[in-house]
Amino acid sequence: MSGSGEGTIMVRVLLVDDHPVVRSGLRAVLEATGRVEVVGEAASGEQALALVPSARPDVVLMDLNLGDGIDGVTTTTRILATGPTTLGAARPPAVLILTTYDHDADIVRAVEAGASGYLLKDASPEAIADAVAAAARGETVLASGLAQRLVSRMRAPSEPTLTPRELEVLRLVADGSSNRAIARALFVSEATVKTHLVHAYEKLGVDNRTGAVTVARERGLL
């Protein structure tokens, strides 16, 4: 963090979101608080990883869904593995998830990846600025109501985990895609799609597509 103005501590932030309008809006509202200096913007996880060393942020404000490239959780893991990027810092930049998704599975994945917090995009500018400052201090921040859900989720008996590809297939099923369409979209055979579905059925305790989508949604996987 660097000093600015009359002793105000400015937090250096890198914005990562695949929507330019969202990035512009975040930059405007955060810089208007006088507490944040936006030192860079990235539209993808790959861009974020390339920018971190030169931008030297204290906090990376990260969306979960970043389009066709690596997602926010994977990007978070890789950023935290890079080590400190700010001169004299003892740790890598903090990563704060800011997204529209409040699925329990996404929250758990983000926290397990090392994210310092998880906020929803309907938070007020001041709440986001407060969270950014807290993350820069090494604190953990969760949106109101998410903390108890996270604790309950992590205390619950463990359930068989769907693989990323099984989840990908289920998301396409939920969108109404046929096995043939899913196979084309993922560049695999229909037999492979069926195999992923069978494994997903077993893990979710169901025997059909509708049941799989329903249970996956109930568990916050979709």
Side-chain angles (χ1 to χ4, degrees):
M1 292 181 285
S2 57
S4 176
E6 299 177 359
T8 301
I9 300 299
M10 299 287 284
V11 181
R12 296 170 59 84
V13 172
L14 172 65
L15 302 177
V16 186
D17 195 292
D18 59 334
H19 293 97
V21 172
V22 173
R23 296 197 307 273
S24 296
L26 282 172
R27 176 186 283 271
V29 298
L30 288 174
E31 291 187 336
T33 67
R35 301 157 59 192
V36 172
E37 176 188 2
V38 175
V39 295
E41 297 182 17
S44 68
E46 290 85 353
Q47 286 183 16
L49 291 169
L51 276 174
V52 163
S54 58
R56 297 183 295 107
D58 299 310
V59 176
V60 179
L61 201 55
M62 176 87 64
D63 193 8
L64 277 183
N65 191 342
L66 297 173
D68 296 332
I70 59 176
D71 67 6
V73 171
T74 301
T75 307
T76 297
T77 302
R78 294 184 184 178
I79 286 174
L80 297 179
T82 62
T85 55
T86 303
L87 187 63
R91 55 185 172 82
V95 179
L96 185 60
I97 302 297
L98 180 66
T99 185
T100 55
Y101 305 97
D102 67 346
H103 297 154
D104 291 356
D106 289 331
I107 301 168
V108 171
R109 286 178 64 229
V111 172
E112 288 179 341
S116 296
Y118 195 107
L119 292 179
L120 301 181
K121 287 182 178 177
D122 59 2
S124 69
E126 280 299 324
I128 297 174
D130 286 343
V132 165
R137 293 192 299 268
E139 299 172 14
T140 299
V141 184
L142 285 174
S144 177
L146 295 186
Q148 185 56 47
R149 281 171 49 188
L150 177 61
V151 170
S152 298
R153 168 91 183 195
M154 298 187 82
R155 284 179 177 170
S158 60
E159 300 165 339
T161 303
L162 297 181
T163 66
R165 182 46 66 97
E166 289 163 1
L167 281 172
E168 199 169 13
V169 169
L170 272 186
R171 288 190 182 103
L172 291 169
V173 169
D175 289 339
S177 298
S178 66
N179 285 3
R180 178 174 295 181
I182 294 171
R184 285 200 302 266
L186 301 182
F187 302 101
V188 298
S189 68
E190 286 188 58
T192 298
V193 171
K194 290 178 182 177
T195 298
H196 287 311
L197 283 174
V198 168
H199 290 162
Y201 293 169
E202 291 174 351
K203 292 176 180 180
L204 296 172
V206 300
D207 59 7
N208 59 70
R209 299 161 75 90
T210 302
V213 171
T214 299
V215 173
R217 283 176 172 158
E218 288 173 352
R219 294 186 185 177
L221 301 175
L222 297 177

